[in-house]
Amino acid sequence: MSASAEKAVAAGRALLRQNRDFRLVWVTQGLSSAGTQLLVVAMPLLVLALTRSAAAAGLVSAVGTVSVFAGGVMSGPLVDRYDRRAVIVVCESARLLLYSGLGVLVLAHAVTLTELVAVEAAGGLIWAPSRAALAVTLARVVPSDQREVAVAADEARGNAAAVLGHSLGGVCFALGHSIPFLLDALTFLASIVGITQIKTSLAPTEDSCLVHQPWSAQLREGLGWLAAHRTFALLALYSALLNLSLGGVQLTVIVLAGAAAHGATVGLVVAAGSVGGILGAVLAPWLIARLGRLHAMLVAFGGMTAMIAALAIAPGAVGLGTAFAMAWLLVPVTNTVTTPIAFTLIPDALLGRVGSVLDLLSGALGAAGPLVAGVLLTRIGHLEPVLLAIPAALASVAIALTPALRTLISAPPTQPARDP
C-alpha cells in the first residue's frame, strides 16, 4: 500500500475514534446485533429441546425470517416519518419485554411451541424498524468523507457480533435454557441506554405532512426514486444478484462439510466465514485506498465468484473453511464501496423508504439462495457451487461492462442526487 493511502485510512480511523456519536451508534448496534445473533442459536435449540422435532425448529426459524422480511417493508416509511431515536428506543424496549418475558416462561417450564412461534413473529416485526433506523443513523452521525472507514468498522462490528452471539448462544443454553433469552434482554437494555446518549439530532428532515401520507404512497416514493436514478438502481440490482449467490453459500458449506467431518468441525468451518468477515472489514479501507473504488469492487466481486466456485473442489473441511473465509473476507469491500454511495446519493428524508425497497430486493434474492442451493445440492451434489457462483459472475461482468456504473463507483457523488 502507498504511504499516502495508509495515511488517509489511518487519519479516517483517528477521526472516527474521536466521534462520540459514532462510537455510541457502533456500540449500540453491536449490542443489539449480538443479542439477535445469540437468538439465532438459542431459539432452535429451545425448540428442539421442547419438541425434539427438526421440522418444528425449521418452522419457528422460518416464521422469524418472514416476519423480519415483512417488517422491513414497512420500516422505511416509519423511520422517515418519526424520530429515529424514538423508533429505536420503542422497538428495543418492546424486544426487552418480549424476550425477558420468554426467559421467565422458560425458567418456569411454562413455554409451548405456539408461544415460541408467536415470539418469533413479534420479535421479527419489532426488530425490523430498529434495524432500519440504526442503519440510516450512521449516515447522520458520520461526515461524508469518513463514511467508507465507518462502514468498514460497522462491517467488523456485525461479524464480531455474529461470532460472539453464536458462541454465547450455545454456551448459555447449555448452562440454562432461560439464560440466553434473559441475557438477550440485557443487550437490548444496554442498546437503549446507548442510543439515548447520542447528541446528534435524529429527527426527520421533512415537515409533518409526511405523517398524513398513506404508507403505500410513501413506499411508492422510494420505488419512484430508484426508477428515476437508474444507474444506482442497476448497482443495487447487481449487488442483489451477488446476494443470491452468497445466500446459498452457508448451506452449501454446512452440507459439504457435514459429509466430510463431524458436527464440531462443521461449526468451526461456518465460524471461519465470520472471522473472514472481520479481517475483511479491517482490510477494506486499505484495499479501496490502494486500488481505487472501481478496481476494489471488481476484485471483490470476481474473488467472491471464484471462491464460491472453488467450494466444488475444496479439499475437506480445511479447504471448505478457507474458501468460505476468503469469500466472506471480500464482502465488506463491496459494502464499504456501495453503502457510502447510497448514503450520499439518497436524500436523508428518503433513506428509509428507498432502503425498504432495496431490502426487499436484496432480501428476496438472499432468501432464495438457500432454496436454490438446496435444490442444486440434491440434483448435482458437489458441482453445485459452480452453478451457485453464476449470478455473482454475471453481476461482476455487468459492472465491468457498464460505463455509467464504472463512473458512479469510481467517482461517487458528493451530494444527494436531484430528481430528473
Side-chain angles (χ1 to χ4, degrees):
M1 177 185 297
S2 66
S4 59
E6 186 172 354
K7 287 181 180 178
V9 173
R13 285 185 169 162
L15 288 172
L16 279 181
R17 284 194 294 271
Q18 297 169 16
N19 187 330
R20 174 183 178 275
D21 283 355
F22 171 75
R23 294 199 309 270
L24 284 169
V25 171
W26 195 87
V27 171
T28 297
Q29 285 185 308
L31 291 168
S32 182
S33 296
T36 301
Q37 294 300 325
L38 188 143
L39 291 177
V40 169
V41 174
M43 186 63 79
L45 290 176
L46 178 61
V47 176
L48 288 171
L50 185 67
T51 67
R52 301 189 182 277
S53 169
L59 170 65
V60 173
S61 295
V63 167
T65 300
V66 171
S67 66
V68 172
F69 192 66
V73 173
M74 303 307 297
S75 296
L78 186 68
V79 302
D80 284 341
R81 177 186 291 192
Y82 299 110
D83 187 294
R84 290 155 186 174
R85 190 196 319 270
V87 171
I88 296 167
V89 169
V90 170
C91 291
E92 296 293 88
S93 298
R95 295 175 82 196
L96 187 158
L97 294 173
L98 182 68
Y99 289 105
S100 59
L102 177 59
V104 172
L105 287 177
V106 174
L107 188 62
H109 303 286
V111 70
T112 67
L113 179 61
T114 301
E115 290 161 345
L116 293 181
V117 170
V119 166
E120 277 292 89
L125 290 172
I126 295 168
W127 178 45
S130 178
R131 183 180 65 163
L134 279 167
V136 299
T137 293
L138 186 68
R140 187 71 70 87
V141 302
V142 177
S144 59
D145 60 346
Q146 298 171 28
R147 285 176 183 166
E148 284 185 357
V149 178
V151 170
D154 198 53
E155 289 285 316
R157 183 270 313 158
N159 283 286
V163 172
L164 179 63
H166 293 167
S167 302
L168 284 178
V171 172
C172 291
F173 191 83
L175 294 174
H177 291 183
S178 65
I179 292 177
F181 305 100
L182 298 174
L183 179 60
D184 188 43
L186 289 177
T187 67
F188 301 142
L189 177 60
S191 174
I192 293 167
V193 173
I195 202 69
T196 57
Q197 299 305 308
I198 294 175
K199 294 180 179 179
T200 302
S201 172
L202 303 181
T205 57
E206 288 190 333
D207 58 31
S208 60
C209 67
L210 184 63
V211 176
H212 304 294
Q213 293 183 7
W215 289 80
S216 58
Q218 294 181 51
L219 287 173
R220 284 197 300 271
E221 285 184 8
L223 188 59
W225 188 93
L226 284 172
H229 300 87
R230 295 180 182 177
T231 303
F232 180 80
L234 278 177
L235 179 60
L237 175 61
Y238 297 145
S239 297
L241 274 179
L242 176 65
N243 267 4
L244 176 59
S245 293
L246 292 175
V249 168
Q250 182 162 308
L251 176 63
T252 299
V253 168
I254 290 172
V255 172
L256 296 181
H262 54 76
T265 302
V266 173
L268 291 174
V269 171
V270 173
S274 294
V275 173
I278 295 172
L279 293 176
V282 173
L283 294 174
W286 274 278
L287 185 63
I288 293 168
R290 185 73 178 93
L291 300 180
R293 295 180 181 89
L294 176 61
H295 290 153
M297 185 81 159
L298 293 174
V299 165
F301 266 70
M304 282 185 279
T305 300
M307 289 300 101
I308 293 170
L311 293 171
I313 57 173
V318 173
L320 289 168
T322 301
F324 189 39
M326 288 299 294
W328 242 247
L329 183 144
L330 294 168
V331 171
V333 177
T334 65
N335 291 339
T336 301
V337 171
T338 58
T339 302
I341 293 175
F343 281 162
T344 302
L345 194 63
I346 304 169
D348 182 86
L350 281 170
L351 271 174
R353 281 163 281 177
V354 177
S356 284
V357 177
L358 296 177
D359 283 347
L360 183 63
L361 176 62
S362 62
L365 289 178
L371 177 61
V372 172
V375 171
L376 291 176
L377 283 166
T378 302
R379 296 297 182 93
I380 61 176
H382 278 69
L383 291 177
E384 175 267 347
V386 176
L387 294 183
L388 187 65
I390 289 176
L394 292 174
S396 303
V397 173
I399 290 174
L401 297 180
T402 307
L405 272 178
R406 295 203 305 269
T407 300
L408 176 64
I409 296 169
S410 299
T414 57
Q415 59 185 3
R418 295 183 179 180
D419 291 333

